Amino acid sequence: MMFDPTIYDNLKVGFENHLYDLDNLDELISITNRKDQLEMARMSREFVLQFCLRDCPDVTGEVVLSTSLEDLAAEILETPGGPSGCRLRLRFRMVVKEPETQCPAISSILQESWPEQRKLQHIQYIFEDQPATYAVTAEVHFDRSVNEDQMGDIPVLCDHMVNVLTKLLQLHK
């Protein structure tokens, strides 16, 4: 029996290929972390590929691709009308000193590239650190399933992420 890769596997490879090319061939970014997890309790999968602009580790971007047991089973068993596909999130992380002004600016930068998508920001800080710094995680959620039909969008999506990293780095400085 031949192995037929799932939608998740195909999209993961698509993101890896493009982002590693931006790292190794174009030398535009540096891959800083990679995670490919199988969560055994729920039998779900999550792939995270983190990167930053070359020699600029203060702001990072992440592609987060995930799929559930239901999605995988419907695809593998070829269930008619069953759910199939993956969920996609983009994450950006940076440390800010003035969240009152910088967080709205982050929202504006994300809004330019992804006006139709849901966006969230999370802020963390250590209570007694002085001067206070705030770790911001900004997320862009694609609230629909993605599949191989969006494979051609990967280069454009990654280019948008590099553009956003450039703007966030300017904001950070």
Side-chain angles (χ1 to χ4, degrees), residues 20-136:
Y20 276 103
D21 283 352
L22 289 175
D23 182 353
N24 297 318
L25 301 178
D26 300 336
E27 297 183 353
L28 189 59
I29 65 170
S30 295
I31 303 292
T32 55
N33 200 6
R34 183 181 186 284
K35 179 173 74 170
D36 192 355
Q37 287 188 309
L38 170 62
E39 206 278 297
M40 298 295 288
R42 294 185 180 198
M43 296 302 292
S44 61
R45 293 183 68 185
E46 183 177 79
F47 171 72
V48 180
L49 195 60
Q50 182 185 65
F51 57 95
C52 63
L53 295 176
R54 185 64 58 136
D55 300 321
C56 300
D58 294 336
V59 180
T60 62
E62 295 176 352
V63 171
V64 182
L65 191 64
S66 60
T67 191
S68 67
L69 173 62
E70 294 81 16
D71 291 331
L72 289 169
E75 179 183 357
I76 292 167
L77 298 174
E78 298 178 6
T79 306
S84 63
C86 302
R87 273 147 312 287
L88 176 65
R89 282 180 292 149
L90 310 177
R91 268 196 301 240
F92 299 91
R93 298 177 192 269
M94 62 189 288
V95 173
V96 301
K97 293 181 181 170
E98 300 170 6
E100 299 80 14
T101 57
Q102 289 173 299
C103 286
I106 292 168
S107 288
S108 178
I109 290 168
L110 296 179
Q111 184 67 23
E112 284 177 36
S113 287
W114 298 286
E116 303 297 318
Q117 308 309 320
R118 182 169 55 96
K119 291 161 274 304
L120 299 172
Q121 287 188 55
H122 305 275
I123 301 173
Q124 292 180 316
Y125 69 97
I126 297 174
F127 176 66
E128 293 181 350
D129 267 9
Q130 293 300 325
T133 57
Y134 305 86
V136 175

